[in-house]
Amino acid sequence: MSVAAQGVLLESLSFAALPLTTLLSFALTSLLIELTPGPNMAYLAVVAAGEGRKPGLATVAGVALGLALLGLAAAVGLAELISQSRPVYEVLRWAGVLFLLYLAFDAWRDAALDDAPRDRSSLSYFRRGLVTNLLNPKAALFFITVLPAFVDPAGPLLTQNVALVAVYVAVATAVHAAIVVLAAAFEPILTDPERERRVRRVLSLLLAAVALWFAWSTRM
């Protein structure tokens, strides 16, 4: 490859005035954060193991959109405004906790329905993934605490922020999709109704535990 071609390649990789090393460092940081157990990981495992890959991937799409919207809000300063307003933050935080508890209850209720058909569409799972993340102040705090450390104050701030948000959403979506694929692999094992019911109840209890952990870890 010629020197000129190498220069073009590096320029294309170093978009938004951010060097490639910064983008790779941020991507690694995002990966480590996403591999830490949290609400998204727990709920995606519940959906994929109980409902299959298609509902799980629909939920992943909703989660991705939610993260992107939070990231864009942080880029224009809305997330920081929320974090500085204690009442607004608490309302958002407890709404997220209650929504997770509702999802846990819904999973438990599904387990009690035995073999009754479930008529939820992919759009329904997409909406649940979206709402779960829009009500997640911890994700918003990531965008206003961790992300700025990778921004060059001398460069175009909005462009850099949007680029980093895109990197984070891409990494998070890859991790979430992998969780869905792995969890969905267990769906055929759940063909026995009694076994499926027990697994669903265990997963719903774990999701409820995650909701309580979320309430504790996001307190200010």
Side-chain angles (χ1 to χ4, degrees), residues 124-215:
S124 173
Y125 287 102
F126 175 85
R127 285 197 300 263
R128 286 171 174 235
L130 173 62
V131 173
T132 299
N133 278 270
L134 291 180
L135 297 177
N136 184 358
K138 195 170 185 179
L141 286 177
F142 166 82
F143 287 122
I144 64 174
T145 56
V146 178
L147 186 147
F150 295 86
V151 173
D152 180 7
L157 298 182
L158 181 60
T159 305
Q160 291 181 80
N161 274 279
V162 171
L164 290 173
V165 168
V167 170
Y168 177 75
V169 172
V171 171
T173 301
V175 172
H176 296 159
I179 291 171
V180 165
V181 171
L182 290 174
F186 290 95
E187 188 193 11
I189 302 176
L190 306 179
T191 53
D192 177 68
E194 182 59 31
R195 182 189 302 161
E196 179 184 4
R197 185 161 49 248
R198 288 197 299 266
V199 170
R200 283 178 179 275
R201 285 178 173 172
V202 169
L203 291 174
S204 66
L205 290 175
L206 289 175
L207 185 57
V210 168
L212 297 178
W213 167 82
F214 179 76

Side-chain angles (χ1 to χ4, degrees), residues 77-101:
L78 294 180
E80 185 173 4
L81 179 64
I82 291 173
S83 70
Q84 292 177 350
S85 173
R86 182 63 179 270
V88 174
Y89 178 86
E90 288 297 325
V91 168
L92 183 63
R93 183 171 78 95
W94 283 109
V97 171
L98 291 175
F99 188 68
L100 285 173
L101 289 174

Side-chain angles (χ1 to χ4, degrees), residues 12-158:
S12 64
L13 290 173
S14 302
F15 61 100
L18 287 167
L20 180 59
T21 54
T22 299
L23 292 172
L24 292 177
S25 297
F26 180 73
L28 177 59
T29 301
S30 302
L31 177 62
L32 294 176
I33 290 175
E34 281 303 311
L35 290 177
T36 303
N40 286 332
M41 186 178 294
Y43 183 53
L44 289 171
V46 169
V47 172
E51 307 295 336
R53 183 177 300 179
K54 184 177 179 181
L57 292 177
T59 308
V60 169
V63 169
L65 179 58
L67 289 175
L69 291 177
L70 282 179
L72 293 176
V76 298
L78 294 180
E80 185 173 4
L81 179 64
I82 291 173
S83 70
Q84 292 177 350
S85 173
R86 182 63 179 270
V88 174
Y89 178 86
E90 288 297 325
V91 168
L92 183 63
R93 183 171 78 95
W94 283 109
V97 171
L98 291 175
F99 188 68
L100 285 173
L101 289 174
Y102 163 74
L103 294 177
F105 165 76
D106 197 49
W108 182 278
R109 183 182 60 184
D110 279 351
L113 295 178
D114 296 323
D115 296 329
R118 300 175 180 88
D119 58 357
R120 294 198 189 103
S121 64
S122 295
L123 181 59
S124 173
Y125 287 102
F126 175 85
R127 285 197 300 263
R128 286 171 174 235
L130 173 62
V131 173
T132 299
N133 278 270
L134 291 180
L135 297 177
N136 184 358
K138 195 170 185 179
L141 286 177
F142 166 82
F143 287 122
I144 64 174
T145 56
V146 178
L147 186 147
F150 295 86
V151 173
D152 180 7
L157 298 182
L158 181 60

